[in-house]
């Protein structure tokens, strides 16, 4: 192996060397492969920095790419699938909805405000890089128990960061979830999902094309902020030295991004661009390399032309900076002036920094001198992919995690337990959080948070008779920890159930796989089983995966997080005015369970958590095909305007779902659930594919011609009245509302 000759000169210079490569995250074997890519010589500083980032776990998906190839990615509605900045599905009339979920876990654990804010900024750029105007954001958050001062700090700052960025840029935050569990104490999860709307024919891909075409960088100037911010932090476990990583977290500016968004869309509308790509993790290195790889071309890029915030930046720093609010485009030479003029109009920097070549090589120059010269294929396509070594723990997944701490003073009667569940951090109302977000800006939000199981957005740009889309994001990590396969299937079905409750037919799915260190056999087993479950459930629902993200190494000294595959789904409903609600809406309506199995298990449930019970070794199998039949029946009934309300039975079981229907509608109900052998399972058990619905008895009868419907009571009154077996209970709405508001003190 020879020392590194400085590209472009005959001089031999000292290479940073293998120890530096290891410090940047490459293994020794990977370093040897890098040298092979360079024809036997060692990489110089620029080349080593670029290889180390593009071959990082975050950029190369080294431990997950083989698994991801097993997922279903094709379907009649798919316009763009995995591989682009985001996926997109056809919503009719020549329009498409782009969407994707992505994580900013480790940056948020280090600096929660900026980590969460730039997570939103990054996912929005993924959307408008396709030519779609962002129309909504959702977030999926995980923290340690709120009794922890650190968790409360992370929660408060992450929520503030999401609200700051989304509110400032004018994109509504329409839904999401927040979960508190001890395994997230040292490694919080911050996943952000965004959706955008575009005419299908106007959407653009990111592949560079046309030898001689020009690379134009536009947006914010480049600084040292965020160097290695996402790519490095997300490719290793967090440790006690995390405070030292704070400078690596990017700093976001939503007002700069707003100008960037408008500039990008006008450039596309004017037909000035050949390709467009946002700059995210690994900055220019990733954006330019991936554009070249997709177009099977080479690039010459001169870092001396890049506008800088700090004049003394080294070439490698410029190439790997993750400064926010930047885009890279390719345009024809005779359109450069028009591109730069539009950049000037929107008051963003616009600079031609390179050109497309036929060499297949990525050459980095500084003021005309070559300072890095690498094969594009080596950078992007030849990163090593690893086979996992999955091994199921001998005692089952449950033993990997300590049992939760039991709730002190948990009542032993049904009345008290329902109050305790409604006031528990995982089930209490999220109103104190979502009231920090603007959920109605853009005037298209048909169903706001806590009005329905899924957010509903009117696509008014489509003209008369415009449909709406529904979207939801979900991921129960505790149940996945108990059983990675069936837990993940349950997450997919939960998302589809949410869409069914508003009358929407699923079109496509995105996902964010949040797992611990995949090099450990038990984590490899969790990941393998979860991906198998994700694929099987999406195939069964005809809701293919159109994009997503993987976040690994989510563990610290205290242990791994719960394996958390977060699922986001988008569906369409023809008539926005018929979008379903979860709250009881009319006195005298009949209340019914649809698809409910009264023998559902309490294992891994919210009640089991409050009791401090350990995770079980596995969950009961789910009849996925049977659940699909129930989902379709409920969806059709809602879409036809037959039902007054629909709410899926999820965390906390049917009695919690019934209480939520009462609270959302401001109406009580009188219920008789009949006899049962196990009151606790009948009231608090959790299973997939079941609903609480209300409506005229005739409508429920018609629904019963398709699926099992059990009428259990009537809407009305100022309390929830329950009869089951010999038990009689009553909760006033005031009592239930007080319990559900327990999260408010966390946001004084």
């Amino acid at each position: 192996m020879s020392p590194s000759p400085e590209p472009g000169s005959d001089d031999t210079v000292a290479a940073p060397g293998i120890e530096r490569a290891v410090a940047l995250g490459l293994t020794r074997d990977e370093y040897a492969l890098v040298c092979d890519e360079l024809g036997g010589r060692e990489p110089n500083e620029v080349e080593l920095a670029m290889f180390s980032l593009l071959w990082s776990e975050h950029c190369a998906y080294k431990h997950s790419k083989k698994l991801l190839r097993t997922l279903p990615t094709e379907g009649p509605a798919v316009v763009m699938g995995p591989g682009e900045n985001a996926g997109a599905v056809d919503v009719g009339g020549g329009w498409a909805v782009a969407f994707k979920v992505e994580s900013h876990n480790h940056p948020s654990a280090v600096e929660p405000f900026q980590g969460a804010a730039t997570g939103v900024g990054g996912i929005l750029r993924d959307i408008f890089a396709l030519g779609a105007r962002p129309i909504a954001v959702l977030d999926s958050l995980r923290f340690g128990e709120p009794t922890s001062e650190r968790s409360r700090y992370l929660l408060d700052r992450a929520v503030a960061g999401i609200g700051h960025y989304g509110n400032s840029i004018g994109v509504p935050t329409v839904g999401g979830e927040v979960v508190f569990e001890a395994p997230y104490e040292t490694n919080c999860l911050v996943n952000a999902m965004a959706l955008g709307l575009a005419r299908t024919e106007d959407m653009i891909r990111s592949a560079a094309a046309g030898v001689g075409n020009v690379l134009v960088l536009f947006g914010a100037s480049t600084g040292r902020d965020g160097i290695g911010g996402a790519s490095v932090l997300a490719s290793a476990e967090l440790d006690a030295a995390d405070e030292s990583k704070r400078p690596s977290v990017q700093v976001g500016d939503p007002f700069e991004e707003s100008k960037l968004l408008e500039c990008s869309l006008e450039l596309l509308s004017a037909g000035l661009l050949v390709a467009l790509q946002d700059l995210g993790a690994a900055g220019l290195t990733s954006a330019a390399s991936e554009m070249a790889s997709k177009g099977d071309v080479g690039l010459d890029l001169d870092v001396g032309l890049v506008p800088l915030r700090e004049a003394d930046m080294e070439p490698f720093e410029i190439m790997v900076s993750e400064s926010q609010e930047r885009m890279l485009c390719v345009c024809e030479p005779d359109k450069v002036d028009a591109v730069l003029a539009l950049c000037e109009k929107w008051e963003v920097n616009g600079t031609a920094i390179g050109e497309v070549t036929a060499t297949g090589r990525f050459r980095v120059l500084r003021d005309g001198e070559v300072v890095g010269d690498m094969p594009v294929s080596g950078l992007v396509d030849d990163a090593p992919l690893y086979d996992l070594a999955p091994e199921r723990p001998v005692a089952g997944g449950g033993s990997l995690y300590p049992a939760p701490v039991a709730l002190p003073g948990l009542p032993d009667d049904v009345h008290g337990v329902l109050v305790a569940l409604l006031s528990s951090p995982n089930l209490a109302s999220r109103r104190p959080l979502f009231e920090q977000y603007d959920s109605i800006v853009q005037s298209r939000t048909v169903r706001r948070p806590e009005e329905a199981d899924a957010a509903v957005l009117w696509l008014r740009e489509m003209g008369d008779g415009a449909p709406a889309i529904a979207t939801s994001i979900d991921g129960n990590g505790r149940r996945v920890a108990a059983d990675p396969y069936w837990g993940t299937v349950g997450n997919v079905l939960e998302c589809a159930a949410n869409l069914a409750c508003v009358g929407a037919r699923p079109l496509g799915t995105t996902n964010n796989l949040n797992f611990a260190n995949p090099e450990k056999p038990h984590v490899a087993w969790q990941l393998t089983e979860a991906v198998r479950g994700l694929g099987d459930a999406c195939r069964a629902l005809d809701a293919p995966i159109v994009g997503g993200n993987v976040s690994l190494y989510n563990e610290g000294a205290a242990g791994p997080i719960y394996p958390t595959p977060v699922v986001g789904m988008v569906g369409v409903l023809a008539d926005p005015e018929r979008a379903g609600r979860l709250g009881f809406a009319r006195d005298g309506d009949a209340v019914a369970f649809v698809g409910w199995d009264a023998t559902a298990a309490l294992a891994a449930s919210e009640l089991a958590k409050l009791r401090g019970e350990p995770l079980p070794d596995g969950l009961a199998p789910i009849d996925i095909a049977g659940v699909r039949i129930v989902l379709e029946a409920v969806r059709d009934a809602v879409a036809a305007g037959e039902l007054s309300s629909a709410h899926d039975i999820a965390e906390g079981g049917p009695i919690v779902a019934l209480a939520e229907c009462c609270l959302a509608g401001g109406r009580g109900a009188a219920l008789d659930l009949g006899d049962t052998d196990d009151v606790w399972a009948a009231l608090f058990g959790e299973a997939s594919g079941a609903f609480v619905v209300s409506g005229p008895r005739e409508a429920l009868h018609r629904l019963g011609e398709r699926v099992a419907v059990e009428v259990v009571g009537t809407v009305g009154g100022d309390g929830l009245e329950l009869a089951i077996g010999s038990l009689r209970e009553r909760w006033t709405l005031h009592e239930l509302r007080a319990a559900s508001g327990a999260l408010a003190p966390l946001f004084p």
Side-chain angles (χ1 to χ4, degrees):
M1 195 176 298
S2 64
S4 168
E6 182 72 24
S9 77
D10 295 330
D11 299 331
T12 298
V13 297
I18 192 168
E19 298 305 326
R20 176 62 175 159
V22 171
L24 290 175
L26 294 174
T27 67
R28 295 177 186 278
D29 287 342
E30 288 170 345
Y31 184 74
L33 292 174
V34 169
C35 295
D36 289 344
E37 295 287 350
L38 296 176
R41 69 173 173 85
E42 294 187 83
N44 64 28
E45 194 166 38
V46 172
E47 295 160 344
L48 180 59
M50 294 175 65
F51 267 106
S52 68
L53 290 188
L54 286 182
W55 284 22
S56 69
E57 185 63 45
H58 185 78
C59 293
Y61 286 38
K62 293 185 290 189
H63 289 90
S64 62
K65 186 170 283 186
K66 290 186 177 181
L67 284 176
L68 299 181
R69 288 171 177 163
T70 67
L71 294 173
T73 59
E74 297 181 354
V78 176
V79 175
M80 285 189 185
E84 290 297 332
N85 287 292
V89 292
D90 184 2
V91 291
W95 292 81
V97 167
F99 64 104
K100 185 183 180 185
V101 61
E102 206 163 64
S103 63
H104 239 211
N105 300 334
H106 290 176
S108 298
V110 175
E111 169 49 69
F113 183 93
Q114 290 295 347
T118 55
V120 173
I123 197 66
L124 289 175
R125 286 196 301 279
D126 281 333
I127 297 301
F128 66 76
L130 295 182
R133 178 172 291 279
I135 60 172
V137 169
L138 299 90
D139 50 81
S140 177
L141 311 176
R142 304 287 185 287
F143 302 97
E145 296 291 352
T147 50
S148 156
E149 184 176 346
R150 170 180 164 76
S151 291
R152 289 198 304 275
Y153 164 73
L154 292 174
L155 168 68
D156 180 69
R157 299 308 295 156
V159 169
I162 292 168
H164 165 69
Y165 211 100
N167 296 350
S168 300
I169 201 170
V171 179
T173 300
V174 298
E177 55 168 2
V178 58
V179 177
F180 303 93
E181 302 276 8
Y184 303 112
E185 171 68 26
T186 58
N187 200 132
C188 66
L189 301 184
V190 174
N191 292 183
M193 176 177 169
L195 296 85
L197 180 65
R199 283 197 172 278
T200 305
E201 64 184 11
D202 294 338
M203 298 181 76
I204 189 169
R205 296 181 184 269
S206 56
V211 173
N213 282 343
V214 178
L215 284 172
V216 175
L217 175 68
F218 63 105
S221 55
T222 299
R224 290 191 171 93
D225 56 301
I227 287 181
S231 46
V232 172
L233 283 177
S235 298
E237 296 174 14
L238 292 173
D239 55 34
D242 295 333
E243 284 296 318
S244 65
K245 297 173 181 174
R246 190 176 299 273
S248 293
V249 177
Q250 309 91 328
V251 178
D253 181 347
F255 302 104
E256 187 69 27
E257 178 122 325
S258 181
K259 293 189 297 182
L260 192 67
L261 187 164
E262 299 300 337
C263 183
S264 297
L265 295 183
E266 187 164 350
L267 286 169
L268 290 168
S269 175
L272 296 175
L273 303 186
V274 173
L276 181 63
Q277 172 78 39
D278 83 299
L279 273 69
L284 269 173
T285 290
S286 176
S289 299
E290 291 177 3
M291 292 178 87
S293 174
K294 291 173 184 174
D296 196 23
V297 296
L299 294 177
D300 282 357
L301 189 156
D302 194 331
V303 294
L305 299 174
V306 174
L308 302 178
R309 296 176 196 165
E310 299 158 85
D312 61 343
M313 290 181 69
E314 295 294 327
F316 84 90
E317 294 178 307
I318 298 169
M319 288 305 300
V320 304
S321 168
E322 295 181 6
S323 292
Q324 296 291 285
E325 290 91 31
R326 298 181 298 163
M327 302 290 284
L328 187 65
C329 69
V330 175
C331 66
E332 296 170 356
D334 61 354
K335 294 179 179 174
V336 171
D337 289 344
V339 169
L340 298 183
L342 266 181
C343 290
E344 185 175 356
K345 170 187 172 181
W346 287 105
E347 298 181 337
V348 300
N349 291 315
T351 309
I353 62 170
E355 67 175 7
V356 178
T357 70
T359 64
R361 301 191 69 81
F362 192 145
R363 295 200 313 161
V364 181
L365 303 93
R366 178 174 58 185
D367 300 328
E369 177 188 357
V370 178
V371 295
D373 186 351
M374 300 144 283
V376 170
S377 59
L379 277 168
V380 179
D381 305 318
D382 294 345
L385 302 180
Y386 296 116
D387 291 316
L388 298 179
E391 187 175 318
R392 178 171 183 162
V394 173
S399 66
L400 295 172
Y401 305 94
V405 176
L407 178 68
L410 178 68
D412 58 3
D413 62 287
V414 166
H415 190 108
V417 165
L418 175 58
V419 172
L421 279 168
L422 286 177
S423 60
S424 67
N426 283 347
L427 298 182
S429 168
R430 269 56 186 144
R431 183 171 295 277
L433 280 80
F434 67 71
E435 283 190 338
Q436 298 187 45
Y437 308 143
D438 188 338
S439 62
I440 60 173
V441 65
Q442 296 191 12
S443 302
R444 67 172 75 249
T445 308
V446 178
R447 292 290 179 266
R448 306 182 193 186
E450 292 195 355
E451 287 186 346
D453 284 26
V456 179
L457 302 160
W458 180 38
L459 306 181
R460 63 175 184 277
E461 291 87 344
M462 295 176 63
D464 294 340
I469 56 166
T471 183
S472 175
I473 189 167
D474 244 302
N476 188 319
R478 188 175 345 110
R479 293 180 70 82
V480 177
D483 189 323
Y485 178 81
W486 288 114
T488 304
V489 168
N491 287 351
V492 176
L493 296 178
E494 166 82 13
C495 252
N498 292 338
L499 265 56
C501 286
V502 297
R505 173 173 54 88
L507 297 175
T509 307
T510 184
N511 69 95
N512 205 112
L513 302 176
N514 305 278
F515 284 76
N517 185 344
E519 298 169 53
K520 298 178 179 178
H522 63 274
V523 177
W525 173 73
Q526 292 173 333
L527 179 59
T528 302
E529 286 297 284
V531 171
R532 186 168 69 89
L534 178 66
D536 285 351
C538 288
R539 268 186 289 270
L541 297 176
D542 291 327
I545 302 287
V546 300
N549 184 57
V550 180
S551 173
L552 302 178
Y553 299 97
N554 290 291
E555 63 181 290
I561 63 163
Y562 281 155
T564 312
V566 168
V567 178
M569 196 172 285
V570 170
V572 66
L573 59 159
D575 187 350
E577 294 188 357
R578 288 184 171 176
R581 296 177 181 271
L582 75 90
F584 291 142
R586 190 168 52 198
D587 288 348
D589 272 348
V591 179
F593 290 156
V594 183
W596 173 241
D597 177 0
T599 63
L602 288 168
S605 67
E606 289 296 326
L607 177 55
K609 179 190 173 185
L610 295 193
R611 287 173 168 174
E613 296 175 359
L615 293 178
D617 182 15
L619 298 174
I622 302 171
D623 176 7
I624 304 175
V627 169
R628 174 172 174 159
I629 291 173
V630 175
L631 296 179
E632 291 177 344
V634 171
R635 179 191 76 205
D636 292 347
V638 172
E642 291 265 278
L643 302 179
S644 302
S645 71
H647 183 33
D648 80 311
I649 298 173
E651 289 84 358
I655 192 65
V656 168
L658 287 161
E660 290 169 341
C661 293
C662 291
L663 290 173
R667 300 169 192 275
L671 309 166
D672 186 346
L673 304 190
D675 293 326
T676 178
D677 294 331
D678 187 340
V679 169
W680 294 98
L683 294 179
F684 301 103
E686 298 178 11
S688 296
F691 300 83
V692 173
V693 302
S694 70
R697 288 183 180 272
E698 309 80 55
L700 298 184
H701 177 74
R702 285 190 288 274
L703 180 59
E705 293 174 352
R706 296 181 60 178
V707 293
V709 173
E710 181 185 3
V711 176
V712 295
T714 305
V715 174
D718 61 355
L720 174 59
E721 299 177 6
L722 172 70
I724 181 168
S726 61
L727 181 68
R728 301 291 182 272
E729 292 289 350
R730 185 178 192 279
W731 298 265
T732 67
L733 292 182
H734 176 77
E735 183 182 16
L736 296 176
R737 191 170 293 112
S740 182
L743 216 54
L746 295 182
F747 297 92

